[in-house]
Amino acid sequence: MDPREVILARLLIVAGDVDTTLNPIRNESDPAAANLPAVILFDGEETARETDPRGRTALATPRLVDMTPEVQFRLKAKDEDVGTKLNLLRAKLIAAVLSDEQLLGFTANGQAIRYQGSMTATERGRSMEGGIGVAFTFTYAMRPGALVETVTA
């Protein structure tokens, strides 16, 4: 099983459980207004370590990988106190992700989840619209040779 996909699938569940009134979406950069309010998971980037093996042994040797997905909360335009609501969702998400036993179990040492930070996006139109993105880095062991089996299964 591809650990990247396992972590992302679980992260979407955890993020959706923060507020079950939000529509859980994956990799949708411009959701229709009908889908709001929403929690959106963006898969993010994956980075290998410089010390990873190269050459013939690269496919057979496990390596540590850092993946940094982003969870965004998007609220409807008519929500009042949008900033306060976004901060509360952020706080709940951080607590949920950093304490989720399944997510922790998928990491390299059972504790390799790091909160990276957040960025808000609020705009004034006819009413206040807002969103906040929250990023985490997950470090996990990837076994390149096993990934082929996952894709073809």
Side-chain angles (χ1 to χ4, degrees), residues 44-107:
E45 71 178 39
E46 182 179 62
T47 307
R49 303 285 172 95
E50 288 296 320
T51 56
D52 280 350
R54 293 175 167 84
R56 292 182 183 195
T57 63
L59 192 59
T61 307
R63 62 201 53 225
L64 289 179
V65 175
D66 295 316
M67 175 181 60
T68 307
E70 181 177 302
V71 175
Q72 290 187 2
F73 294 104
R74 306 260 185 96
L75 301 180
K76 289 184 178 183
K78 294 182 181 179
D79 277 343
E80 293 182 22
D81 300 322
V82 69
T84 300
K85 288 179 181 179
L86 291 171
N87 286 329
L88 179 60
L89 290 167
R90 175 192 142 277
K92 287 181 176 181
L93 178 68
I94 293 168
V97 169
L98 296 179
S99 66
D100 187 81
E101 292 297 324
Q102 288 184 49
L103 282 174
L104 287 164
F106 299 141
T107 66

Side-chain angles (χ1 to χ4, degrees), residues 23-33 35-36 38-44 70-75 121 123 129-132:
N23 185 21
I25 302 171
R26 189 160 165 195
N27 293 319
E28 178 61 51
S29 61
D30 192 19
N35 289 330
L36 296 180
V39 56
I40 306 168
L41 172 64
F42 292 96
D43 291 0
E70 181 177 302
V71 175
Q72 290 187 2
F73 294 104
R74 306 260 185 96
L75 301 180
E123 298 178 10
E129 297 181 20
I132 190 167

